[in-house]
Amino acid sequence: MKGVNRFDRKSYFTAKKYARIIEQFSKKENLSLDDALNFFYHSEIYRLISEGVSDLHCMSDEYLTEELIVEYKKNLKDITKRCDESQYHLDAGFYFF
């Protein structure tokens, strides 16, 4: 039918999956939902899921959350190293360089 919007199950499924991952990530890393959301949408995990690489969307929320945490900790380590090298100090929150 012309002009009728159809329900897109894939979009709904991925949106709900993203929300669950972000919520778990926020709780496990003691981050605000805004900070968790910001990191997630700039993460490699998000890029891979959204591009359909290796069927990551089929992996459990717990697995993807743990992978996101690994990426987050690596990113924090890299940022801290860069800040130490350039003699800047981190206050609070998450920073992208």
Side-chain angles (χ1 to χ4, degrees):
M1 293 170 72
K2 242 182 187 177
V4 174
N5 292 329
R6 296 184 64 202
F7 178 70
D8 185 356
R9 285 175 293 171
K10 184 177 180 189
S11 293
Y12 179 76
F13 170 79
T14 54
K16 294 295 281 181
K17 186 163 198 73
Y18 294 162
R20 290 189 306 267
I21 293 166
I22 292 164
E23 184 178 16
Q24 287 179 15
F25 175 55
S26 171
K27 287 179 182 177
K28 288 184 175 203
E29 291 301 309
N30 198 26
L31 297 170
S32 71
L33 284 173
D34 285 342
D35 286 342
L37 181 77
N38 186 34
F39 183 80
F40 177 74
Y41 280 110
H42 290 92
S43 71
E44 185 69 11
I45 290 293
Y46 169 73
R47 186 186 68 76
L48 294 172
I49 295 170
S50 65
E51 291 177 1
V53 174
S54 300
D55 290 330
L56 278 176
H57 65 280
C58 295
M59 304 304 283
S60 72
D61 297 345
E62 184 66 31
Y63 173 82
L64 293 171
T65 301
E66 292 303 319
E67 289 297 310
L68 188 62
I69 290 170
V70 168
E71 184 177 341
Y72 176 72
K73 289 182 177 180
K74 180 185 181 305
N75 198 334
L76 279 181
K77 184 179 175 183
D78 291 346
I79 289 170
T80 302
K81 182 179 176 186
R82 280 184 262 159
C83 287
D84 288 345
E85 289 172 355
S86 60
Q87 298 179 354
Y88 289 111
H89 300 285
L90 289 175
D91 291 328
F94 191 80
Y95 299 93
F96 291 97
F97 289 88

